[in-house]
Amino acid sequence: GQGTYTGGIVEVNQGTIQNCTVGSMTGESFLGGIAGLNKGGRIENCTLTGQMRGDSYLGGIVCRNEGEIVSCRVLPDDAQVSSVMGDGSYIGGISAVNSGDKASITGWEIKGDIEGAGSFVGGIAGSNENAAVIGLEKKQEAAQSGTITGGEHVGGIAGVNGGDIYASGELLENTFTVRALEGNAGGIAGLQRETGNISGTGNTGSIIAEKGNAGGIVCDNRGRVEASENSGEVTAANGEAGGICGENSGTVTGCRTLGGTLSGQGALGGIAAANYGRIENSSLLSKAELAIMGGQPENYIGGIAGRNTGVIVTSKVGSKTAPVRLSSDEDKSNVGGVAGYNGPEGRVDGMKAPETVCYADIILEALSPITGRRAASRDLRPRDSRTASGELPASMETEQIQR
């Protein structure tokens, strides 16, 4: 969006702004704590110490960034819980919109809540657009605390990502709690477009979707996610949840779900609730637990994907000594060590080496047709398995419980 910008220091910056501090700002839309529009300029070591309040297109440091933002901070005083608050869309802790091949945000510190009633709300940027960068270079630091709340497409780093989010040294880790009121909550991004790439990231925050789906790294992935890991709780109260992605129609490679509880309705997956794309060399480790909550006519739980109509290659679930727990107390639950459902176009392929291996405790609690009470749980642990294209191997099949 374009509008008349307002900045705490300048409206438009094409030069350098360093070591500046701004207090609270209140207005309508297109507000930036330091600059309204950073057009090829550089903003470094600047701080918003108060609170920003407005409608849409609000950024703690700039509204629209087309230049460099380095090591800036949003640190509201102790009397204020929220740092950036908007009644509309495109709300970011550092920038509302990060756009263009010269746009980069590297290194930051943010304390306090980021709130938007509409879409595209992110801890760093509401929207990180094609060719723009949000990242950590070597020896740079990032720290954040608080809650990111928005309507739809809400992420710990970006509400929507079409550019690059990466770390070249340590993991770029989200520690915000992320809450989407209408859907698409992700630890790094709520939505990733086809041009987007997320690499070297992690999430330890709680990811919550009141409606719709949730993912530990990105909720709706249409691009590429690689070398990223999640150990936070992922909850979709009325939707589907995945350790890395809620839905994947892009590529996920070299990712891990290390722990935490994944809970939701309809479909749960250690890597993706629903996979329409490609998942490779990824794993669900033993400290994670997947549990269906609330009833849907059909429920699917899988160590890698709840529902698979794409490709899963050389992935791992649990270990011999520490299996993963996959559980459901709902009727009509389809549970599999790798996938709850592998569709006609789905392929699970262990290749020749390394093998696709699955160790899982599968707990199904059925309702007795006579008493209406839960029957005793059954503990089913698949053996080591090497898969074949087009079907799940027999050693991964689980006993069907008649209801």
Side-chain angles (χ1 to χ4, degrees), residues 207-214 234-241 263-265 293:
I207 310 304
I208 304 161
E210 303 288 351
K211 297 179 182 177
N213 302 333
V234 181
T235 304
N238 294 283
E240 301 177 351
S263 56
Q265 297 187 13
M293 63 179 194

Side-chain angles (χ1 to χ4, degrees), residues 278-295:
R278 183 180 181 88
I279 297 172
E280 58 187 17
N281 299 323
S282 296
S283 57
L284 171 66
L285 300 190
S286 59
K287 292 183 179 180
E289 179 176 340
L290 280 64
I292 284 284
M293 63 179 194

Side-chain angles (χ1 to χ4, degrees), residues 22 65 69 84 86 92 94 104 111 136 190 207 238 259 266-267 309 323 354:
V22 172
N65 181 50
I69 300 176
V84 182
I94 298 293
S104 65
K111 291 183 179 179
L136 283 183
I207 310 304
N238 294 283
T309 55

Side-chain angles (χ1 to χ4, degrees), residues 342-401:
N342 191 46
E345 301 299 320
R347 181 161 67 93
V348 181
D349 194 341
M351 309 296 281
K352 292 185 177 181
E355 298 178 1
T356 290
V357 179
C358 170
Y359 300 93
D361 284 336
I362 298 178
I363 313 298
L364 302 181
E365 294 183 312
L367 282 174
S368 166
I370 298 174
T371 66
R373 297 178 180 175
R374 297 290 175 193
S377 300
R378 302 187 185 187
D379 189 345
L380 308 176
R381 187 172 304 182
R383 301 183 297 276
D384 292 19
S385 304
R386 184 178 301 165
T387 65
S389 299
E391 61 182 10
L392 289 174
S395 58
M396 285 188 184
E397 294 176 359
T398 60
E399 180 178 348
Q400 295 296 314
I401 297 178

